[in-house]
């Protein structure tokens, strides 16, 4: 009898064997561990998220009606039928979100609604139509790679992007608009295409896996593992959420009847042995209606340099892992090897699932030398922009470092450490800019900025010349609040390397960043410092983690008594390490 079983993906499955009782039992244990690790949202929080999306849909409809009234006030039919459509993408759409997860959201509108309209009307409508106090931290970033409005709605973080559907003047009833049609891409600019791409890719992933529930449980496990092992951050050079999702989806295609526990184990086995740079693809490349670039290393030379290509399944197909460097690839492969060993023992009932999710040892064990990339700003808003820009360029510094003959590996940590400081003098400001933590203070209260603005307004309304001299003197000595974000890069030296001068790489990186058109010498500063593991600040360690320390004793020689070595106190925020010198015998970076 002819086998008519469906083929998922671009190759036949490796195995279509049904699960064994032992594999089903292991999946039950995996689910128990994921619940124990608090990866699932509560029922009440789920309802809260659903209510937020209902509200956003209501606001989106009013937004489109408002634009229709403004542009065609006499077109009653257009105004009557005006509506938008809200879609989700990312972890919420995939069904793998948990406590604290944001909701990635897309607002779509008919052809007559523009991106300028979106930023003109939508922020005000949010605050007007949401319940009082529901919207906090509202920030619109119009010139981003993907223009976005960011805010919190009842404490849930929302990333809201926008695109027109240029082929439609009116939308069908809610729930009827399908973005999977490539025809909806016609007439859009690059930013609109990128905005639509998130939802299209997410929906395609779900359509291309054999069993969505199996996929979701396995993906929850892989996301938790990647986060715990500090290899989850697209902007830094590791896979982001959508990449891990596509990699898990490919394994699901190769084992279409496997349980989630088996998929997790096969994930490590398949990806450890993947023949890079052959790409991970969920479907064959397809043609579309647009004259746009799709990933093709035979045509585009730059595409051939991608080390671990994972290709998005929706047209136009792109490589989602172009940020991965030689060092981050090495770290990912090490972690995959660890996963192979552990899952083999877990499925053999020799180890529990919790061992897979043990936290990384980036600060406690992995490196002796680090570079600290420190961005500093004198206002909160300026720091969001400046620190975000530098964060997006850290991977470029990593690429330069790993090309140095004495550097075997440069591993960036997957998140930055934000701190606030109070400075009273120029000398203290310089110390803060170069990594000193003597002046760290509590974070500013949310409404203190507003209070400061009110204070400034009242000052301007009054007669400044008649201000009390004592008040003027107090203002002159009032501490300046400063904002810093520090990204750490762990270094592994090449065998035989005894000294390391990274001044060229560091200065080139600093020059690139400070030549950015939005860089301001009055608001921003960038420093790169060498830090030894003994001098890492306290706040990079979590409770229960042991900071690296010097050995207490030197070994005895020729029968002599062991010599006790005076232990140098590890630095704290009150007594931090001094700024790095320009060059040291073992490792140095010009700051």
């Amino acid at each position: 009898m002819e086998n008519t079983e469906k083929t998922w993906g671009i190759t036949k499955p490796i195995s279509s064997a049904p699960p064994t009782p032992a594999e089903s039992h292991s999946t039950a244990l995996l689910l128990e561990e994921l619940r124990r690790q608090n990866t699932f949202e509560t029922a009440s929080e789920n309802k809260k998220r659903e209510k937020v999306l209902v509200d956003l849909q209501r606001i989106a409809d009013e937004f489109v009606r408002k634009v229709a009234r403004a542009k065609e006030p006499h077109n009653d039919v257009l105004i009557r039928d005006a509506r938008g459509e809200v879609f989700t993408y990312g972890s919420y759409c995939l069904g793998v979100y948990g406590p604290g997860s944001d909701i990635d959201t897309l607002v779509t509108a008919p052809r007559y609604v523009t991106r300028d309209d979106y930023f003109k009307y939508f922020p005000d409508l949010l605050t007007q139509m949401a319940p009082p106090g529901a919207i906090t931290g509202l920030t619109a970033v119009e010139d981003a790679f993907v223009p976005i409005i960011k805010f919190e709605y009842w404490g849930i973080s929302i990333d809201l992007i926008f695109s027109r559907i240029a082929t439609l003047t009116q939308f069908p009833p809610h729930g009827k608009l399908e973005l999977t049609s490539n025809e909806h891409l016609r007439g859009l600019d690059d930013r609109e295409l990128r905005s639509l791409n998130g939802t299209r890719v997410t929906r395609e992933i779900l359509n291309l896996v054999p069993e969505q529930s199996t996929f979701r449980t396995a993906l929850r496990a892989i996301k938790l593992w990647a986060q715990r092992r500090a290899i989850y951050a697209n902007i830094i050079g590791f896979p982001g959420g959508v990449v891990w999702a596509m990699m898990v989806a490919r394994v699901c295609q190769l084992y279409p009847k496997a349980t989630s526990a088996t998929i997790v184990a096969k994930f490590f086995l398949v990806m450890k042995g993947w023949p890079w740079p052959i790409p991970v693809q969920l479907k064959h490349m397809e043609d579309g209606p647009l004259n746009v670039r799709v990933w093709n290393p035979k045509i585009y030379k730059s595409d051939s340099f991608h080390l671990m290509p994972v290709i998005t399944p929706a047209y136009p197909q792109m490589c989602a892992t172009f940020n991965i460097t030689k060092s981050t690839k090495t770290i990912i492969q090490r972690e995959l090897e660890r996963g192979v060993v552990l899952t083999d023992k877990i499925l053999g009932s020799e180890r529990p699932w919790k061992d897979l999710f043990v936290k990384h040892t980036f600060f406690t064990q992995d490196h002796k030398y680090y570079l600290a990339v420190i961005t500093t700003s004198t206002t909160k808003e300026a720091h969001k922009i400046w620190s975000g820009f530098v964060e997006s360029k850290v991977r470029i510094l990593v690429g330069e470092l790993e090309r140095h003959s004495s550097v075997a590996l440069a591993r960036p940590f997957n998140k930055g450490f934000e701190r606030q400081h109070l400075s009273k003098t120029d000398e203290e400001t310089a110390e803060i800019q170069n990594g000193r933590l003597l002046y760290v203070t509590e974070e500013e209260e949310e409404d203190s900025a507003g209070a400061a603005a009110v204070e400034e307004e009242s000052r301007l309304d009054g007669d400044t010349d008649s201000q009390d001299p004592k008040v003027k003197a107090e203002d002159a000595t009032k501490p300046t609040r400063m904002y810093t974000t520090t990204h750490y890069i762990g270094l592994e030296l090449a065998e035989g390397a005894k000294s390391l001068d990274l001044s060229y790489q560091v200065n080139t990186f600093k020059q690139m960043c400070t030549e950015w058109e939005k860089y301001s010498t009055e608001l921003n500063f960038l420093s790169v410092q060498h830090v030894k593991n003994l001098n890492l600040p306290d706040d990079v360690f979590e409770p229960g983690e042991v900071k690296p320390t010097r050995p207490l004793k030197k070994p005895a020689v020729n029968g002599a008594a062991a010599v006790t070595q005076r232990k140098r106190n590890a630095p704290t925020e009150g007594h931090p390490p001094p700024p790095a010198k320009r060059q040291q015998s073992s490792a140095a970076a010009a700051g």
Side-chain angles (χ1 to χ4, degrees):
M1 184 176 178
E2 187 180 351
N3 185 3
T4 58
E5 185 174 345
K6 179 176 179 178
T7 295
W8 296 88
I10 62 176
T11 62
K12 291 182 178 180
I14 293 175
S15 171
S16 296
T20 65
E23 290 169 341
S24 298
H25 177 64
S26 188
T27 295
L29 294 177
L30 173 60
L31 273 167
E32 285 181 17
E33 184 58 35
L34 291 174
R35 291 192 180 95
R36 196 176 298 119
Q37 298 272 1
N38 195 33
T39 66
F40 290 90
E41 190 67 280
T42 63
S44 62
E45 287 297 316
N46 278 332
K47 289 182 178 179
K48 186 175 170 183
R49 289 172 181 268
E50 291 168 4
K51 177 65 169 62
V52 167
L53 289 172
V54 169
D55 281 359
L56 289 178
Q57 181 62 70
R58 178 172 55 86
I59 296 168
D61 288 343
E62 178 57 31
F63 159 62
V64 177
R65 277 193 296 270
K66 192 177 185 78
V67 175
R69 289 191 203 101
K71 294 188 174 181
E72 298 199 35
H74 305 298
N75 191 335
D76 294 338
V77 174
L78 185 77
I79 295 169
R80 182 196 68 196
D81 294 336
R83 66 175 69 89
E85 191 74 33
V86 172
F87 296 90
T88 61
Y89 60 102
S91 63
Y92 187 86
C93 183
L94 288 171
V96 293
Y97 59 95
S101 296
D102 58 7
I103 305 180
D104 295 315
T105 315
L106 165 71
V107 173
T108 57
R111 62 185 303 168
Y112 57 85
V113 182
T114 67
R115 185 164 53 245
D116 289 340
D117 295 328
Y118 175 65
F119 285 100
K120 178 180 178 181
Y121 294 116
F122 213 96
D124 289 340
L125 284 172
L126 277 170
T127 54
Q128 292 166 11
M129 296 182 65
I135 304 290
T136 57
L138 182 64
T139 305
V141 189
E142 296 186 51
D143 57 352
F145 188 66
V146 178
I148 190 169
I149 298 174
K150 302 170 77 74
F151 57 96
E152 289 194 0
Y153 197 124
W154 286 332
I156 298 170
S157 180
I158 307 291
D159 287 350
L160 197 66
I161 59 178
F162 169 80
S163 178
R164 296 175 303 138
I165 304 297
T167 55
L168 297 176
T169 303
Q170 294 281 32
F171 275 10
H174 289 313
K176 299 296 184 182
L177 178 62
E178 294 289 341
L179 297 183
T180 50
S181 171
N182 290 343
E183 290 303 309
H184 290 324
L185 303 178
R186 291 185 181 275
L188 304 184
D189 63 24
D190 288 345
R191 288 181 170 184
E192 290 168 325
L193 283 173
R194 287 193 288 267
S195 295
L196 279 185
N197 201 42
T199 296
R200 284 167 52 83
V201 167
T202 305
R203 299 293 173 94
E204 275 283 68
I205 292 171
L206 289 173
N207 291 335
L208 291 169
V209 294
E211 293 288 341
Q212 290 188 9
S213 61
T214 299
F215 163 73
R216 287 185 171 115
T217 301
L219 180 55
R220 280 186 185 274
I222 295 303
K223 278 169 62 79
L224 178 62
W225 161 79
Q227 288 163 348
R228 292 284 170 83
R229 304 305 295 174
I231 54 172
Y232 188 108
N234 177 61
I235 196 169
I236 290 295
F238 290 106
V242 69
V243 174
W244 292 119
M246 289 188 287
M247 292 168 76
V248 171
R250 184 68 186 115
V251 177
C252 288
Q253 292 178 337
L254 295 172
Y255 298 89
K257 295 184 179 178
T259 63
S260 298
T262 302
I263 293 297
V264 171
K266 296 298 185 184
F267 170 86
F268 292 111
L269 198 63
V270 170
M271 292 303 158
K272 172 183 172 290
W274 194 268
W276 309 108
I278 292 176
V280 171
Q281 291 177 263
L282 299 180
K283 59 188 282 191
H284 291 288
M285 305 292 278
E286 62 176 311
D287 293 328
L290 308 180
N291 183 23
V292 295
R293 173 174 170 167
V294 298
W295 186 81
N296 190 332
K298 293 180 180 178
I299 297 176
Y300 304 109
K301 183 68 175 177
S302 60
D303 289 351
S304 67
F305 296 135
H306 296 157
L307 301 178
M308 298 179 71
V310 179
I311 310 304
T312 57
Y315 174 85
Q317 297 89 344
M318 306 173 190
C319 178
T321 49
F322 65 90
N323 278 357
I324 289 178
T325 69
K326 184 180 72 172
S327 291
T328 53
K329 178 185 176 183
T330 298
I331 295 299
I332 293 165
Q333 289 177 320
R334 287 180 187 175
E335 291 296 340
L336 290 171
E337 290 172 5
R338 171 184 174 271
V340 168
V341 174
L342 282 174
T343 52
D344 185 56
K345 293 181 178 179
I346 290 167
L347 292 187
S349 301
E350 298 176 40
R351 301 277 288 270
W353 276 107
K354 68 177 182 180
D355 287 2
L356 182 65
F357 308 121
V358 169
K359 188 171 175 280
H360 65 86
T361 53
F362 180 86
F363 294 109
T364 55
Q365 297 178 22
D366 293 351
H367 304 282
K368 185 176 181 181
Y369 305 110
Y370 299 83
L371 289 186
V373 180
I374 307 158
T375 52
T376 307
S377 304
T378 53
T379 71
K380 199 171 200 174
E381 286 308 310
H383 192 62
K384 280 183 183 179
I385 297 168
W386 175 233
S387 63
F389 172 75
V390 174
E391 180 183 37
S392 72
K393 302 302 179 185
V394 166
R395 64 184 177 85
I396 296 177
L397 174 59
V398 168
E400 291 299 320
L401 294 172
E402 64 191 15
R403 282 188 280 275
H404 194 290
S405 59
S406 295
V407 175
L409 183 141
R411 176 182 182 178
F413 191 59
N414 67 331
K415 68 173 186 177
F417 291 84
E418 297 182 351
R419 305 175 177 109
Q420 294 185 21
H421 318 253
L422 291 178
S423 167
K424 295 180 181 179
T425 67
D426 290 345
E427 289 76 13
E428 290 179 358
T429 295
E431 289 182 278
I432 291 167
Q433 291 171 337
N434 287 300
R436 287 269 193 155
L437 302 183
L438 283 168
Y439 314 105
V440 171
T441 186
E442 296 297 318
E443 287 195 18
E444 198 172 21
E445 293 296 326
E446 276 295 320
D447 60 351
S448 62
V454 171
E455 182 181 330
E456 176 70 6
E457 186 178 344
S458 64
R459 185 185 69 79
L460 292 174
D461 288 341
D463 183 356
T464 56
D465 291 335
S466 62
Q467 188 176 359
D468 189 333
K470 288 185 178 180
V471 175
K472 284 187 176 182
E474 288 176 5
D475 287 344
T477 59
K478 188 177 180 181
T480 300
R481 185 172 291 269
M482 301 178 66
Y483 304 84
T484 65
T485 300
T486 303
H487 287 276
Y488 293 93
I489 301 172
L491 300 176
E492 290 182 16
L493 302 188
E495 187 175 351
K498 295 182 179 179
S499 64
L500 181 61
D501 181 4
L502 301 176
S503 56
Y504 174 78
Q505 288 75 15
V506 167
N507 287 332
T508 301
F509 173 72
K510 290 171 66 177
Q511 181 179 351
M512 176 191 67
C513 292
T514 54
E515 286 178 349
W516 186 42
E517 60 183 11
K518 294 187 179 180
Y519 170 75
S520 166
T521 55
E522 297 173 354
L523 293 174
N524 311 126
F525 192 83
L526 176 61
S527 174
V528 181
Q529 299 291 335
H530 161 63
V531 182
K532 282 190 175 181
N533 59 350
L534 303 176
N535 294 332
L536 287 167
D538 288 345
D539 62 0
V540 304
F541 300 96
E542 293 188 0
E545 291 185 331
V546 179
K547 293 178 61 174
T549 57
R550 292 181 183 276
L552 293 177
K553 292 183 178 180
K554 290 183 178 179
V557 180
N558 296 330
V563 179
T564 301
Q565 191 176 36
R566 187 172 66 180
K567 183 180 178 182
R568 182 181 298 177
N569 290 332
T572 65
E573 290 185 357
H575 301 280
K581 297 176 182 177
R582 182 182 176 97
Q583 190 168 2
Q584 298 186 12
S585 59
S586 49

